[in-house]
Amino acid sequence: MKLLKIENNNGFFRLEDGNFKEIDALDKEGLLSLVNWTFDEDEIEYDEFNDSILKNQAHQIIYKSIYNKLRDLRNRRKEYLDETAQLYLADYTKYRDSPRQ
């Protein structure tokens, strides 16, 4: 699943319906979708950031920031999922092993 792409010298992000929208229109719902796909999907793609292809300066700044943050999340995906699983393990074990009344 491609999340970010560069086309016609502009940056785009994926919408819920599978279409793409210019990166300078990214809102919190769009960002949340990108983060969720980064964690949930087995295969994701992004066009690599290249400032010589992206001509719009605002697109360069936004695309580079989002691209770097999503790549970092993806690289640390297993670490975050392990931390999440550990977060409630102690409470789960405590209530699982306590006698029922």
Side-chain angles (χ1 to χ4, degrees):
M1 171 186 291
K2 184 172 263 191
L3 302 182
L4 299 174
K5 71 177 183 178
I6 298 173
E7 193 173 278
N8 300 325
N9 300 324
N10 290 309
F12 295 88
F13 71 97
R14 182 185 176 92
L15 298 169
E16 287 283 338
D17 64 5
N19 291 317
F20 285 84
K21 192 172 185 178
E22 289 194 3
I23 196 88
D24 59 354
L26 182 63
D27 57 8
K28 65 181 179 183
E29 287 82 19
L31 184 58
L32 182 60
S33 294
L34 293 175
V35 169
N36 285 335
W37 285 321
T38 299
F39 278 116
D40 296 339
E41 293 296 322
D42 290 332
E43 292 188 26
I44 58 171
E45 301 175 42
Y46 328 93
D47 285 345
E48 191 165 335
F49 172 75
N50 185 332
D51 59 353
S52 65
I53 296 174
L54 275 172
K55 300 296 182 193
N56 183 320
Q57 204 164 19
H59 284 210
Q60 286 179 3
I61 294 168
I62 298 167
Y63 193 96
K64 182 178 180 180
S65 177
I66 299 300
Y67 173 79
N68 286 333
K69 291 191 184 326
L70 291 178
R71 273 191 24 193
D72 183 52
L73 280 176
R74 187 63 177 194
N75 291 336
R76 298 178 63 192
R77 176 181 172 204
K78 182 168 177 12
E79 177 185 339
Y80 289 128
L81 293 176
D82 288 346
E83 284 180 21
T84 301
Q86 292 296 322
L87 186 64
Y88 299 106
L89 181 61
D91 289 335
Y92 171 76
T93 303
K94 175 183 164 187
Y95 289 110
R96 183 191 67 193
D97 297 338
S98 68
R100 294 184 179 225
Q101 297 177 3

